[in-house]
Amino acid sequence: MSPAKLSIDYEKELNEQQLEAVRHIDGPLLVIAGAGSGKTRTLVYRVAFLVENRIKAQNILLLTFTRKAAQEMLRRASTLLDERCSDVAGGTYHSFSYLILRKYADKIGFKRGFTVLDRSDSEDLINLIRADMGLSLKETRFPRKDTLGDIFSKAANCLTDATSILEKQYPQFFHLAEDIEVVRKRYEETKKDDNLMDYDDLLVYLKELLEKNPGTRERLSSLYRYIMVDEYQDTNKIQSSITSLLASGHGNVMAVGDDSQSIYSFRGANFKNIMDFPSLFPGSKIVTIEKNYRSTAPILSLTNEIISFASEKYSKKLRTDIKGGRKPLFVETQDENEQSRFVCYKILELREEGVSLNNMAVLFRAGWHSNDLELELRKFGVPFRKFGGIKFTEASHVKDVLAYLKAFKNPRDAVSWFRILKLIEGIGSKTAQTLHAEIGRKGGIEKIEKRLYSSKNYRSDMEELKKTASFVNDETTRASDAVRTVLDFYREIFMRVYSEDYPKRANDLDSLAVVAERYSSVEEFLTDLTLEPIEKSQAGTTRENDEDEILTLSTVHSAKGLEWHSVFILQLVDGYFPSSYCFEEPEEMEEERRLLYVAATRAKRNLYLVKPGYLNPARNYFGFSYYGTSQVSRFLSEGRILQDFVERISADV
DNA sequence: GTCGAAAATCTTTTT
DNA sequence: GATTTTCGAC
């Protein structure tokens, strides 16, 4: 490659290791980058560097953990260099797969307009099959739909069968393995027949497409000549196979990750994968970045200490040059509500000191851990946005509306048709089945014969439904108009079904219409919502008020890759964090430790660790608070952490 | 066949 | 403590 005239002074703006990674052009490269070591910066500069070296942006593929992360990186690269960078292809493995499969669906036995099922859709479908097979009536209890969903998903992500997942993780169901495999087989067949794909299928079928169609593989491989993967420690087997298939023509893969931040094993990721990178891509160059640019020394000492008790030895120890800073503060409050009030007061205090709400975050292990805090924040009038936990699109009334759209667009979509038909008064599961069978056969509700329902009292509802369907299915109908028409039909049902609390829920429906404004076609609207579900607390907000100050509440998982000036970690009680769910499994317990490590390394200047002293035993069915007391998280009681690495303060509120 | 009420079940993290 | 499944009355 001829040396181009570069507009960015890379040597000045990057450290030695970052520079080494950025300047690497051809061949596999593994970058082990610790928390806060400028991982994103390295990726952004490398995009710019490649583009400056006359590599077309369209030939670069940037795979990240969320689509938001990809967009943010491309935005930064564009600011750094110029608009060329925004032509880089990027997104999550799932959204990328969707994009490809939409084009090549016919090569793997699907039709182009396939529907993507979200988790609960797929569970509903599993349940239909389960019920149909009469398995729920057996004397030994058969696993429920969510457990089955888990098992199937793990099997897909680990490239194995359900039986081996049962053996390892669900021994109590092992004797049902045969039946479970049959359910799985029928689940797979049904999806294929009805043109449906769940999240895992997007990956499964992309892999299949690449494996079985050398021509397509070569075409894609030569299009995406430079592949960059972020958060590689959280990719699983199927994703790494896809990566290596895509790279089969050139081997230009750059993977960035940190083994000590691996927190997604529940979806088949294994931090050891990152160590397999060099054997998957022979001739790999490895660069390690240990310099931290984010946190003060006392925060780093604590995080280094937390991870040092891990049973696995990780590849690096972080250093920082940021001088000064106070030790992380450890606060023990009386109960959960005092914890909430403490956080509120501290937040207001920090704001007084000039820290914007945008630079503060409250992190916790599970979505519901912030319930009490949310109430308190509302009382204090502190605006917040919550990430993680239940999604907006998971609320049942929102799912209803989406089910109308999905059903109209795909006459074979049994789950959606069942859902919406049963909403009509007088139609139960039997009638829904008959009607859906007819709709599937005729290829749309518009075409079914009137005599099927003409004598019934739901005749007029069916007629209305037909009209709604034909409006939505009109090619020229925009997403927002489709949503509004569905809402007109749904309103009456909505008020009947949610008669106790529909006024509260009504806002969500308006929000849905607002969200739909951004899309032109209904299909685009639907898949976007499934591939990138909207957080509950932001559904109603528009882009404009992004500039307002707002506090972030987030699960640790959703906080991955982000950073704030001041960070609070809540509920540091054994059983909450770590979750009592992992008490039996040493490996999962290790992941909880990494999770706390990820949480604590988000902080730049202030880190508050909060532990409520007493948790209401009624809420803790799982046995960690039998005596009405609660122990501090085991990760903090190790070694001399509480004595030497934090400063204890009183809650004082 | 439908639909409300009582009983059983399990509590996490995400695309 | 809330959701989901099953049961039994209409």
Side-chain angles (χ1 to χ4, degrees):
Chain A
M1 185 146 320
S2 62
K5 204 172 166 203
L6 306 180
S7 59
I8 299 167
D9 189 351
Y10 294 90
E11 286 182 39
K12 199 176 132 211
E13 301 193 30
L14 299 167
N15 73 23
E16 196 186 327
Q17 288 79 28
Q18 291 172 337
L19 191 64
E20 198 181 349
V22 165
R23 280 182 168 164
H24 176 97
I25 292 185
D26 290 299
L29 168 70
L30 175 64
V31 180
I32 307 276
S37 66
K39 185 169 55 97
T40 309
R41 190 179 176 81
T42 307
L43 283 168
V44 167
Y45 274 78
R46 180 152 189 269
V47 169
F49 188 78
L50 291 180
V51 171
E52 284 209 277
N53 279 281
R54 303 202 188 93
I55 288 161
K56 283 205 190 97
Q58 300 91 291
N59 294 138
I60 304 173
L61 174 64
L62 178 60
L63 294 168
T64 56
F65 223 66
T66 60
R67 258 190 307 183
K68 211 172 64 196
Q71 283 160 7
E72 172 64 12
M73 283 187 206
L74 298 180
R75 192 190 60 77
R76 279 174 60 176
S78 300
T79 322
L80 190 66
L81 187 64
D82 54 55
E83 276 310 310
R84 276 177 293 172
C85 298
S86 55
D87 292 334
V88 167
T92 61
Y93 274 93
H94 291 87
S95 63
F96 173 70
S97 298
Y98 175 72
L99 213 71
I100 302 295
L101 291 179
R102 211 171 44 169
K103 238 189 198 156
Y104 297 97
D106 49 320
K107 288 196 192 282
I108 39 135
F110 281 80
K111 287 181 274 314
R112 282 181 188 220
F114 61 84
T115 309
V116 182
L117 301 175
D118 69 13
R119 184 53 197 261
S120 73
D121 292 334
S122 84
E123 282 175 4
D124 289 347
L125 182 57
I126 291 170
N127 217 28
L128 287 178
I129 293 164
R130 200 182 83 132
D132 191 46
M133 288 172 68
L135 290 165
S136 46
L137 303 168
K138 287 205 169 165
E139 49 310 330
T140 39
R141 232 177 67 247
F142 202 74
R144 307 163 22 139
K145 59 176 179 180
D146 51 340
T147 316
L148 289 170
D150 263 348
I151 296 166
F152 297 167
S153 177
K154 278 241 172 69
N157 279 293
C158 300
L159 298 176
T160 177
D161 54 6
T163 310
S164 46
I165 298 295
L166 289 170
E167 199 178 348
K168 270 180 248 140
Q169 299 181 44
Y170 298 89
Q172 71 274 32
F173 295 129
F174 188 66
H175 65 286
L176 296 167
E178 240 174 84
D179 282 341
I180 292 174
E181 291 287 6
V182 176
V183 176
R184 183 170 185 221
K185 195 161 159 267
R186 283 197 48 187
Y187 173 59
E188 299 303 330
E189 288 164 359
T190 314
K191 284 182 296 181
K192 221 165 196 175
D193 289 345
D194 296 353
N195 217 23
L196 306 166
M197 283 201 203
D198 65 20
Y199 287 134
D200 305 320
D201 291 332
L202 290 171
L203 305 180
V204 170
Y205 288 115
L206 176 59
K207 177 166 174 278
E208 192 180 308
L209 173 77
L210 295 170
E211 274 168 351
K212 300 202 175 149
N213 298 276
T216 311
R217 179 177 69 232
E218 279 154 30
R219 199 166 328 131
L220 290 171
S221 187
S222 62
L223 176 57
Y224 301 111
R225 292 191 50 79
Y226 293 89
I227 302 173
M228 298 163 87
V229 188
D230 192 15
E231 309 282 10
Y232 195 79
Q233 76 281 359
D234 287 321
T235 57
N236 55 33
K237 257 200 159 138
I238 193 162
Q239 291 167 323
S240 65
S241 313
I242 289 172
T243 315
S244 85
L245 285 162
L246 277 174
S248 56
H250 48 70
N252 298 327
V253 179
M254 174 199 196
V256 184
D258 179 1
D259 46 351
S260 53
Q261 291 189 67
S262 159
I263 53 175
Y264 275 90
S265 70
F266 63 89
R267 101 183 185 198
N270 184 335
F271 69 93
K272 287 176 186 138
N273 267 358
I274 197 168
M275 295 308 157
D276 291 340
F277 184 89
S279 57
L280 194 61
F281 299 100
S284 290
K285 178 170 166 175
I286 300 177
V287 175
T288 307
I289 318 180
E290 293 182 298
K291 176 98 181 271
N292 176 296
Y293 292 93
R294 180 184 294 157
S295 312
T296 59
I299 293 176
L300 272 197
S301 318
L302 172 68
T303 57
N304 279 336
E305 191 67 9
I306 289 172
I307 205 73
S308 76
F309 287 100
S311 55
E312 197 77 30
K313 283 294 157 241
Y314 296 105
S315 46
K316 65 218 162 317
K317 192 156 187 165
L318 296 175
R319 311 173 263 105
T320 183
D321 285 345
I322 302 171
K323 295 283 186 304
R326 208 173 164 188
K327 273 188 192 172
L329 299 169
F330 176 73
V331 189
E332 211 160 344
T333 65
Q334 226 169 33
D335 54 24
E336 196 178 344
N337 188 253
E338 195 182 66
Q339 165 178 263
S340 306
R341 279 178 289 131
F342 169 79
V343 171
C344 288
Y345 281 117
K346 270 294 162 205
I347 283 169
L348 294 178
E349 203 178 299
L350 284 164
R351 190 154 67 161
E352 286 293 301
E353 288 167 20
V355 184
S356 157
L357 287 180
N358 294 329
N359 294 328
M360 298 185 231
V362 184
L363 308 181
F364 31 84
R365 172 70 243 264
W368 55 275
H369 288 174
S370 67
N371 289 166
D372 188 75
L373 176 66
E374 288 169 40
L375 293 174
E376 212 60 40
L377 285 169
R378 288 203 183 93
K379 274 195 224 160
F380 277 73
V382 177
F384 63 86
R385 206 177 349 214
K386 182 175 171 183
F387 294 89
I390 299 163
K391 297 286 194 294
F392 167 68
T393 33
E394 281 163 12
S396 61
H397 50 294
V398 176
K399 295 219 61 143
D400 286 344
V401 177
L402 297 177
Y404 284 103
L405 299 174
K406 286 186 194 170
F408 296 155
K409 286 292 168 185
N410 181 358
R412 302 196 57 100
D413 182 343
V415 172
S416 301
W417 277 109
F418 257 67
R419 189 178 184 109
I420 66 168
L421 287 172
K422 287 200 323 202
L423 285 171
I424 295 174
E425 261 185 311
I427 299 182
S429 37
K430 269 282 145 60
T431 313
Q433 199 163 25
T434 334
L435 286 172
H436 170 243
E438 189 61 16
I439 290 164
R441 197 163 29 241
K442 292 277 161 62
I445 189 174
E446 299 97 317
K447 298 182 191 112
I448 69 168
E449 290 174 45
K450 273 191 184 162
R451 59 174 177 80
L452 275 168
Y453 54 82
S454 55
S455 62
K456 300 289 197 296
N457 51 356
Y458 45 79
R459 179 172 45 94
S460 65
D461 284 330
M462 286 297 287
E463 286 299 316
E464 275 302 306
L465 191 61
K466 265 191 184 177
K467 273 189 213 145
T468 314
S470 50
F471 179 76
V472 170
N473 278 342
D474 188 319
E475 293 290 318
T476 58
T477 302
R478 298 169 45 86
S480 55
D481 296 326
V483 171
R484 273 193 210 98
T485 313
V486 167
L487 285 178
D488 285 338
F489 176 82
Y490 179 59
R491 191 153 293 124
E492 212 176 304
I493 296 170
F494 171 67
M495 284 162 47
R496 170 171 53 83
V497 176
Y498 304 100
S499 52
E500 329 83 61
D501 64 340
Y502 72 86
K504 267 193 225 158
R505 294 169 182 259
N507 283 339
D508 292 340
L509 300 184
D510 294 335
S511 310
L512 199 60
V514 173
V515 174
E517 300 280 352
R518 290 185 224 152
Y519 300 89
S520 51
S521 82
V522 177
E523 284 90 347
E524 210 186 322
F525 171 63
L526 287 173
T527 39
D528 237 44
L529 280 186
T530 357
L531 291 179
E532 192 100 340
I534 303 170
E535 303 291 339
K536 213 179 166 197
S537 57
Q538 320 169 238
T541 61
T542 47
R543 293 270 152 84
E544 284 81 281
N545 50 25
D546 264 7
E547 283 154 36
D548 292 343
E549 272 200 44
I550 192 157
L551 173 73
T552 298
L553 306 193
S554 176
T555 57
V556 181
H557 284 92
S558 302
K560 180 196 221 343
L562 303 172
E563 59 176 31
W564 293 271
H565 177 279
S566 299
V567 169
F568 295 80
I569 305 176
L570 294 189
Q571 311 276 33
L572 285 160
V573 173
D574 224 49
Y576 276 73
F577 203 158
S579 159
S580 53
Y581 218 74
C582 316
F583 282 177
E584 312 299 323
E585 284 296 323
E587 281 193 18
E588 286 180 40
M589 189 54 80
E590 285 303 302
E591 180 150 313
E592 297 284 304
R593 184 196 310 278
R594 293 191 295 268
L595 202 53
L596 181 61
Y597 176 75
V598 169
T601 50
R602 302 305 97 202
K604 295 202 251 186
R605 294 295 175 271
N606 296 325
L607 176 62
Y608 296 88
L609 305 166
V610 197
K611 173 197 172 280
Y614 177 86
L615 291 162
N616 182 5
R619 261 172 68 180
N620 308 327
Y621 46 84
F622 232 163
F624 47 80
S625 124
Y626 282 137
Y627 313 103
T629 62
S630 46
Q631 295 291 310
V632 67
S633 170
R634 61 188 67 188
F635 304 131
L636 294 181
S637 49
E638 278 160 327
R640 296 193 50 82
I641 289 183
L642 283 181
Q643 291 79 34
D644 298 345
F645 291 87
V646 299
E647 182 182 329
R648 278 170 178 270
I649 60 167
S650 69
D652 191 26
V653 287

